[in-house]
Amino acid sequence: MPVKFADRMSTVHRSFIREILKVTEDTSIISFAGGLPNPELFPVSELEAAAVAVLQEAGPQSLQYSTTEGYLPLRKYIAARYKEKKGIEVDADEIIITTGSQQCLDLLGKVFIDAGDKVIIERPGYLGAIQSFSMFQAEFITVGLEDDGPDLKELEAALDQDNVKMFYAVTNFQNPSGLTYSDAKRAAVAKLMKGRDTIFVEDDPYGELRFKGESHPPVVRGYLDEGGILLGSFSKVAAPGFRLGWIVCGGETRDKLIIAKQASDLHTSTFNQHLVYRYVTDNVLDDHIEKIRARYGKQRDVMVESIKKYFPAEVKVTEPEGGMFLWVTLPESSSAMDFFDEAIKNKVAFVPGRPFYVDGSGENTLRLNFSNSDEERIVEGIKRLGTGLKNFIAKA
Amino acid sequence: MPVKFADRMSTVHRSFIREILKVTEDTSIISFAGGLPNPELFPVSELEAAAVAVLQEAGPQSLQYSTTEGYLPLRKYIAARYKEKKGIEVDADEIIITTGSQQCLDLLGKVFIDAGDKVIIERPGYLGAIQSFSMFQAEFITVGLEDDGPDLKELEAALDQDNVKMFYAVTNFQNPSGLTYSDAKRAAVAKLMKGRDTIFVEDDPYGELRFKGESHPPVVRGYLDEGGILLGSFSKVAAPGFRLGWIVCGGETRDKLIIAKQASDLHTSTFNQHLVYRYVTDNVLDDHIEKIRARYGKQRDVMVESIKKYFPAEVKVTEPEGGMFLWVTLPESSSAMDFFDEAIKNKVAFVPGRPFYVDGSGENTLRLNFSNSDEERIVEGIKRLGTGLKNFIAKA
């Protein structure tokens, strides 16, 4: 039977990172490739207590079909936390619980993107967003990232193009670069967005994982008064296996997102919403996040120090104050793809940067994850990478 | 900020049924409107034991990111159950676990449907499928349902049209009609599908809820050797709140579906997959299903008997051997929408049939759910409906 797939399928491919992760299933490989939280920090026994409490107290109600918008007590908790931690006003009715924050991207694609519509993303950009928006045949415009956020001239030129539907930004400890928007850049982005019919979408899965320095208010509702959509997730602060994220937005957009979610999966797991709500009310989430910060912060320090010790001087690395990733730039002429093959021979893995660039650039870049390796493996892995890099660059 | 939504959003509306369900939140109303399983039958304490076992034994692994295809032991269980219960061969590698079977419809839309592609659905048809495929701007062709399955002449004429991407069928105890395809109709459908480039999609969420009579092999792999896609769900045999469904298909289509799922929500909840797998291995699912069958079967009998006793003779009702719904046909000139307003005054609710007809017909039909009301309320509700119907028809 000859099957004809939809046109959109010709533009989207299997995630390159997922293919790399298969290589790294070999446990003898020290992998800085994944984007996984450290499972040693998952609050397993607290979640067990929460699961028992939910089933004993809410019982059948936690197992039944439920509303598309999501469990109201959980939405109220998220709204209150925005007020407390970020100083912004969010109403529980403006929150839709999603099946992970990846689903937010799918729903935004459904609601906003017609084939050929332009979407601005960062360069390098988040791969999950590239995949989701590609499904809706978006045309990407990329805006370069500087140490403190987007290149404002590039952003303005991009926004001045016709038919730009959306600017998608990861403002804290971006995946893949680890970079964070400064207060000045946030204000400048808000100023540039103001009054346009381009939607600003701010994704913030890593914002709570800050090890040092001051946190910034989100652009949405922190600097940008009207419009703007904010995405969040429990994956990095509780556990990703529940697939629990959310989207903040009001008005007609919210109604359209609910329609799109009904059509996509009816609603997010009732049980997981009850379970995580119970977990955050019976425990102090901040205490748990503090443990994650301390551990990741130490791992990040060890990785940065090891890089300074073992990497050749011509290799540049970002030094983020939080999140899960460092971003490495090799000399202009070096291919991180080619170096990947060398590194695997030495039993170390990372993600070459090119897939994060829709324009085909970024050949000399790569991403290192520090959240999911212990200090000993970080030192050993960076040492091997450093030795490999010296040989690789010398040969080139 | 003036927001321009994607074209697809103009064709999809908020689920009418969900709006009706809001009316029925008033507990003084006897509601036959919903499509909910009976929560009294959810295996709460068994699920509690399973949750504890998963967190104590699998621990962090059950809370981490996982593969898009789904948890292999669960996929193996489903494959073995197909062999045991339906006598068909399914390999675990041909199964993708989805976020409820609603997500299967979204993924099929993504992978197959370009704007304007034709999709055949049953008349009346499943509303969730109409919603999902509408998102991808499908053009629907409807095929009437007879007591034993689709009108074969209509089906052949529909299949003979150009550019028909898919035939979507609910072969057991269909939602909304309660009708089931006979063996003869299954064989005839398979014969009609053979050799065409139209994909046959068979959705079977209710097949295990058979109270009497003989079950039939699925069309896919039971009668149709090549191609064909089969959908399943744990919502009606365990609990819907986990959002666990699956899709069976092989070859390149499977690869495309995995890409679409990666872009949609990365993967289905790891924890829920572990939990339901543990539940079905530590318990005998068949014993649990037997309890559901006994209860729903009794409720169905009471509803059918009450209808015979209280409804006017000119009203016709299906008498399905399983599932959760009865389908009512009023005299030609009667509007079930108008009768709905009358019924609500008498504190009884149902779903008017028109939303299940994309061609605007079906005005004189309605759906009754029997799974989620006890026998006493069924008798009382049907009595009120019957009295109302006599007045309503007399007035018309």
Side-chain angles (χ1 to χ4, degrees):
Chain A
M1 192 170 68
V3 174
K4 194 186 162 294
F5 298 109
D7 290 341
R8 69 180 65 81
M9 296 310 295
S10 62
T11 58
V12 190
H13 303 284
R14 226 171 217 269
S15 159
F16 175 75
I17 291 189
R18 296 225 147 204
E19 299 308 307
I20 283 190
L21 294 184
K22 284 194 183 158
V23 177
T24 63
E25 274 170 14
D26 174 354
T27 51
S28 74
I29 289 180
I30 296 177
S31 177
F32 304 132
L36 303 183
N38 194 326
E40 289 174 20
L41 294 167
F42 293 156
V44 178
S45 59
E46 291 86 347
L47 288 166
E48 185 190 323
V52 168
V54 163
L55 287 166
Q56 290 188 353
E57 293 168 32
Q61 195 205 333
S62 70
L63 301 167
Q64 185 60 288
Y65 285 113
S66 57
T67 64
T68 303
E69 295 86 328
Y71 186 46
L72 185 58
L74 184 63
R75 291 188 285 127
K76 284 184 175 166
Y77 169 83
I78 294 166
R81 195 169 169 90
Y82 271 122
K83 178 76 180 167
E84 184 198 333
K85 297 287 165 187
K86 305 282 184 181
I88 63 169
E89 299 290 339
V90 173
D91 193 277
D93 282 341
E94 296 177 303
I95 295 172
I96 302 168
I97 306 291
T98 59
T99 306
S101 72
Q102 181 70 29
Q103 189 184 44
C104 300
L105 306 174
D106 180 57
L107 299 179
L108 289 168
K110 282 195 172 97
V111 165
F112 288 116
I113 304 175
D114 285 316
D117 279 354
K118 289 173 194 151
V119 172
I120 303 173
I121 57 170
E122 297 153 326
R123 186 177 71 245
Y126 175 53
L127 211 61
I130 294 170
Q131 270 199 298
S132 270
F133 300 150
S134 294
M135 263 299 165
F136 300 95
Q137 298 168 283
E139 198 179 288
F140 293 106
I141 312 172
T142 66
V143 168
L145 279 181
E146 301 171 333
D147 282 350
D148 62 346
D151 180 315
L152 294 173
K153 279 193 186 151
E154 278 193 45
L155 178 58
E156 185 165 15
L159 286 167
D160 284 343
Q161 291 193 31
D162 288 336
N163 194 27
V164 179
K165 269 289 170 76
M166 197 187 289
F167 170 28
Y168 170 80
V170 184
T171 51
N172 291 312
F173 317 122
Q174 191 237 23
N175 180 357
S177 70
L179 294 169
T180 293
Y181 288 31
S182 66
D183 283 318
K185 279 278 167 92
R186 285 167 199 256
V189 167
K191 200 174 162 194
L192 280 175
M193 295 304 304
K194 205 172 160 64
R196 297 192 191 251
D197 55 4
T198 299
I199 301 135
F200 183 66
V201 176
E202 183 170 16
D203 196 356
D204 187 22
Y206 308 107
E208 300 244 35
L209 306 181
R210 173 174 281 280
F211 322 136
K212 55 182 85 173
E214 288 290 304
S215 78
H216 313 278
V219 175
V220 173
R221 303 189 187 198
Y223 295 89
L224 186 65
D225 292 338
E226 53 186 70
I229 292 174
L230 191 53
L231 314 182
S233 171
F234 284 109
S235 292
K236 310 305 186 293
V237 295
F242 296 120
R243 311 305 304 123
L244 277 187
W246 65 85
I247 186 162
V248 178
C249 82
E252 202 185 342
T253 300
R254 176 180 173 276
D255 296 340
K256 299 285 187 193
L257 286 165
I258 289 172
I259 291 171
K261 182 159 170 71
Q262 277 180 355
S264 300
D265 64 0
L266 295 183
H267 62 80
T268 295
S269 167
T270 320
F271 183 65
N272 291 353
Q273 292 185 72
H274 277 255
L275 180 49
V276 169
Y277 175 68
R278 187 79 197 208
Y279 166 70
V280 296
T281 43
D282 286 356
N283 298 272
V284 179
L285 184 60
D286 285 343
D287 291 351
H288 178 63
I289 292 174
E290 203 45 54
K291 279 185 211 159
I292 302 175
R293 284 179 184 145
R295 177 81 75 95
Y296 290 7
K298 189 83 183 81
Q299 288 168 191
R300 173 259 185 217
D301 289 348
V302 169
M303 190 174 268
V304 168
E305 283 158 25
S306 302
I307 284 172
K308 285 185 177 156
K309 192 165 167 187
Y310 296 115
F311 273 25
E314 58 266 55
V315 173
K316 284 181 196 158
V317 186
T318 58
E319 295 185 21
E321 295 178 326
M324 302 182 6
F325 305 108
L326 301 185
W327 187 245
V328 177
T329 306
L330 306 181
E332 198 81 13
S333 59
S334 300
S335 162
M337 285 285 194
D338 292 346
F339 180 56
F340 179 80
D341 297 330
E342 293 295 313
I344 286 294
K345 286 181 201 157
N346 294 318
K347 302 276 187 190
V348 199
F350 56 82
V351 176
R354 207 175 54 188
F356 301 102
Y357 291 79
V358 292
D359 64 358
S361 66
E363 186 65 43
N364 62 325
T365 61
L366 61 93
R367 189 188 77 179
L368 297 176
N369 167 272
F370 55 78
S371 61
N372 198 21
S373 303
D374 63 29
E375 295 170 33
E376 200 181 328
R377 280 168 82 87
I378 289 174
V379 173
E380 177 59 27
I382 293 297
K383 194 172 164 182
R384 287 187 208 167
L385 278 183
T387 311
L389 272 174
K390 279 172 196 156
N391 294 332
F392 182 75
I393 293 172
K395 267 197 288 179
Chain B
M1 191 169 70
V3 173
K4 197 188 161 293
F5 298 110
D7 289 343
R8 71 180 64 83
M9 296 310 295
S10 62
T11 59
V12 191
H13 303 283
R14 226 171 217 270
S15 159
F16 175 75
I17 292 190
R18 296 222 148 207
E19 299 308 307
I20 283 191
L21 294 185
K22 283 192 185 161
V23 178
T24 64
E25 274 170 14
D26 175 353
T27 50
S28 74
I29 289 179
I30 297 178
S31 176
F32 304 132
L36 303 184
N38 194 327
E40 288 172 20
L41 294 166
F42 294 156
V44 178
S45 59
E46 292 86 346
L47 287 166
E48 184 189 325
V52 168
V54 163
L55 286 167
Q56 290 188 354
E57 293 168 32
Q61 196 205 331
S62 71
L63 300 168
Q64 187 58 288
Y65 285 114
S66 58
T67 64
T68 303
E69 295 86 327
Y71 185 46
L72 185 59
L74 184 64
R75 291 188 284 127
K76 283 185 175 164
Y77 170 84
I78 294 166
R81 195 167 169 90
Y82 272 122
K83 177 77 180 167
E84 184 197 334
K85 296 285 163 188
K86 304 282 183 182
I88 63 170
E89 299 288 340
V90 172
D91 194 278
D93 283 341
E94 295 177 304
I95 295 171
I96 303 168
I97 305 291
T98 58
T99 306
S101 73
Q102 181 70 28
Q103 190 184 44
C104 300
L105 306 174
D106 180 58
L107 299 179
L108 289 168
K110 282 196 173 96
V111 165
F112 287 117
I113 304 175
D114 285 315
D117 279 354
K118 290 174 195 149
V119 171
I120 303 173
I121 58 170
E122 297 152 326
R123 188 180 69 246
Y126 175 53
L127 211 60
I130 294 170
Q131 271 200 298
S132 270
F133 300 152
S134 293
M135 265 298 168
F136 300 95
Q137 296 167 282
E139 199 178 288
F140 293 105
I141 312 171
T142 66
V143 168
L145 280 181
E146 300 171 334
D147 282 351
D148 62 346
D151 179 315
L152 295 173
K153 278 193 185 150
E154 279 193 45
L155 179 58
E156 185 164 17
L159 287 167
D160 284 344
Q161 291 193 31
D162 289 335
N163 194 27
V164 180
K165 268 289 169 74
M166 198 187 289
F167 171 27
Y168 170 80
V170 183
T171 52
N172 291 312
F173 317 122
Q174 191 236 22
N175 180 357
S177 71
L179 293 169
T180 293
Y181 288 29
S182 67
D183 283 320
K185 279 277 168 92
R186 284 166 200 258
V189 167
K191 200 174 162 195
L192 280 176
M193 294 305 306
K194 207 173 157 63
R196 300 195 190 246
D197 56 4
T198 299
I199 301 135
F200 183 67
V201 176
E202 183 170 16
D203 196 356
D204 187 21
Y206 309 107
E208 300 245 34
L209 306 182
R210 174 173 281 280
F211 323 135
K212 53 184 84 174
E214 288 291 303
S215 78
H216 312 278
V219 176
V220 172
R221 303 188 187 200
Y223 295 88
L224 186 66
D225 292 339
E226 54 187 69
I229 292 174
L230 192 53
L231 315 182
S233 172
F234 284 109
S235 292
K236 310 304 186 294
V237 296
F242 297 120
R243 311 307 302 123
L244 277 187
W246 64 85
I247 187 164
V248 177
C249 83
E252 201 184 346
T253 300
R254 177 180 173 276
D255 295 340
K256 299 285 187 195
L257 286 166
I258 289 172
I259 291 171
K261 183 160 168 68
Q262 279 180 354
S264 300
D265 65 359
L266 294 183
H267 63 80
T268 295
S269 166
T270 319
F271 183 65
N272 291 354
Q273 293 185 71
H274 276 256
L275 179 49
V276 169
Y277 175 68
R278 186 77 197 212
Y279 166 71
V280 295
T281 43
D282 285 356
N283 298 273
V284 180
L285 184 59
D286 285 344
D287 291 350
H288 178 63
I289 292 174
E290 203 45 54
K291 281 185 212 161
I292 302 175
R293 284 180 184 145
R295 176 81 75 97
Y296 289 8
K298 190 80 183 80
Q299 289 169 189
R300 174 260 185 218
D301 289 348
V302 170
M303 191 175 268
V304 167
E305 283 157 26
S306 303
I307 284 171
K308 286 185 178 157
K309 193 164 166 189
Y310 297 115
F311 274 25
E314 57 266 55
V315 174
K316 285 181 193 158
V317 185
T318 58
E319 296 185 19
E321 296 178 326
M324 304 183 0
F325 304 107
L326 301 185
W327 187 244
V328 177
T329 307
L330 306 181
E332 198 83 12
S333 61
S334 300
S335 162
M337 285 286 193
D338 291 346
F339 180 56
F340 179 79
D341 297 331
E342 294 295 312
I344 286 293
K345 287 179 201 157
N346 294 317
K347 303 275 186 191
V348 199
F350 55 82
V351 176
R354 207 175 56 187
F356 301 102
Y357 292 78
V358 291
D359 64 357
S361 66
E363 185 65 41
N364 61 326
T365 61
L366 61 93
R367 189 188 77 178
L368 296 177
N369 167 271
F370 55 78
S371 60
N372 198 22
S373 303
D374 63 31
E375 295 169 34
E376 200 182 327
R377 281 168 80 86
I378 289 174
V379 173
E380 176 59 26
I382 293 297
K383 195 172 164 184
R384 288 189 206 167
L385 279 183
T387 311
L389 271 173
K390 278 172 197 157
N391 294 332
F392 183 76
I393 293 172
K395 268 196 289 179

